[in-house]
Amino acid sequence: MGIHLIVDYYEDERPDRREEFLVCMRRNLNHPHIEAVYNLGSNRYAPPADIREHPKYRSHPTGHRLTFKDAFEFASASLPGQFVGMCNLDIFLDDSSSDWLTAEQLVRQHNLVLCQSRIERAADGTTSQDQTFARLLFANAQDAWFFIAPLEVPNAAFELGTLGCDNAIADRIRKAGRIPINLGSRFKVVHVDICRGKHGANTNLLHAQESKERDTVYSRFPERDGCYLVPDFDMATSLDAIMDALSIAPLHKYRVICDIMSQIIKIQN
């Protein structure tokens, strides 16, 4: 029992940003419930010696930036029956207040895939929730995923960490017959992105600026082929409150109620 965590290690030209990646790698390698950390990124970069020589570190380079398809295929072939996670490089798993053994049991018992929203780490080590993402109950802000291998997911050849990937992969997971669920409040993943000053309100702008500076593709827009929102389960307690917060018109609200009733109730005359 334990997590087999997949990441995509690369180096940033900014020393402060590179150090944030290394903080997360080291935290995950030393996490008591993580069995191993698998670097499936390009073989262009090698982490520092203390990471490479860590007994939990594994290197299986793909030769290119990691896609969800790569991760699922690796897990299915190499880690059948295991509790597998994958996360962005600037994420580490909470090791103080999150019961990851319970998380694994829930996933195994209920055919779930955890699509975890994050909390933000400040320079002083404290954590908090991003209030911009909180407005939609973190339905569009997932940075780590956990499942039982094997898992075959259709149309998943897009990269972790690109804009829209979180809601796109939730859609593909649903189509694969698993239940995507965000239990971010229970099993916390911590986002370390202090040097760039990144937050919910400036995410799109920051991605666009960096894409222009590096002459890279801004986004492949995987959400355009299917998009599924996964709000934090423990925050989504009232359908009326959500519809009111979204300012849904009475007729639209009525259609939502009809859709829900039609999914649950079957008339048999």
Side-chain angles (χ1 to χ4, degrees), residues 52-225:
R52 296 195 313 271
E53 296 168 5
H54 196 285
K56 291 185 181 180
Y57 178 77
R58 310 283 188 273
S59 179
H60 296 272
T62 61
H64 55 260
R65 183 170 175 180
L66 181 65
T67 68
F68 285 96
K69 181 175 184 288
D70 294 327
F72 286 128
E73 288 182 348
F74 174 81
S76 296
S78 303
L79 300 168
Q82 300 297 331
F83 184 43
V84 180
M86 51 184 165
C87 67
N88 294 337
L89 193 57
D90 57 4
I91 292 290
F92 69 83
L93 278 58
D94 170 55
D95 59 5
S96 60
S97 63
S98 300
D99 184 352
W100 290 101
L101 178 59
T102 295
E104 179 175 351
Q105 291 170 341
L106 284 172
V107 171
R108 289 186 182 278
Q109 291 170 3
H110 300 289
N111 203 33
L112 306 178
V113 175
L114 300 185
C115 304
Q116 299 298 88
S117 56
R118 69 200 192 208
I119 57 176
E120 308 294 332
R121 187 176 193 245
D124 63 2
T126 60
T127 58
S128 63
Q129 293 181 328
D130 187 300
Q131 291 308 299
T132 298
F133 289 133
R135 293 171 188 167
L136 288 180
L137 311 181
F138 300 92
N140 62 331
Q142 290 85 52
D143 287 87
W145 300 265
F146 300 87
F147 58 95
I148 303 300
L151 175 56
E152 183 177 347
V153 177
N155 191 19
F158 50 90
E159 296 88 354
L160 278 72
T162 57
L163 286 177
C165 74
D166 41 8
N167 298 127
I169 200 60
D171 168 75
R172 312 304 192 269
I173 289 166
R174 185 171 61 98
K175 290 173 178 173
R178 301 272 179 107
I179 302 170
I181 184 171
N182 180 357
L183 293 174
S185 293
R186 299 189 197 184
F187 314 114
K188 299 179 178 66
V189 300
V190 183
H191 181 224
V192 183
D193 198 344
I194 301 162
C195 73
R196 297 191 300 175
K198 183 181 177 182
H199 49 77
N202 70 0
T203 293
N204 286 16
L205 178 62
L206 190 62
H207 277 261
Q209 288 176 339
E210 291 194 346
S211 178
K212 184 177 180 180
E213 291 169 0
R214 299 176 179 181
D215 193 26
T216 57
V217 177
Y218 173 56
S219 175
R220 301 183 191 280
F221 306 107
E223 75 280 6
R224 294 180 181 176
D225 290 334

Side-chain angles (χ1 to χ4, degrees), residues 20 30 46 149 175 185 196 203 229 231 237 243:
E20 289 177 342
N30 292 314
K175 290 173 178 173
S185 293
R196 297 191 300 175
T203 293
L229 297 174
T237 56
M243 290 194 286

Side-chain angles (χ1 to χ4, degrees), residues 5-10 25 37-43 45-47 57-62 66:
L5 187 67
I6 295 171
V7 299
D8 179 358
Y9 179 78
Y10 65 96
M25 285 285 286
V37 175
Y38 300 82
N39 175 17
L40 264 63
S42 167
N43 55 4
Y45 304 105
Y57 178 77
R58 310 283 188 273
S59 179
H60 296 272
T62 61
L66 181 65

Side-chain angles (χ1 to χ4, degrees), residues 11-28:
E11 292 187 352
D12 196 284
E13 65 273 13
R14 296 160 293 192
D16 289 349
R17 186 64 176 145
R18 187 162 60 247
E19 186 57 33
E20 289 177 342
F21 294 158
L22 296 177
V23 165
C24 293
M25 285 285 286
R26 292 176 178 123
R27 289 290 296 263
N28 286 327

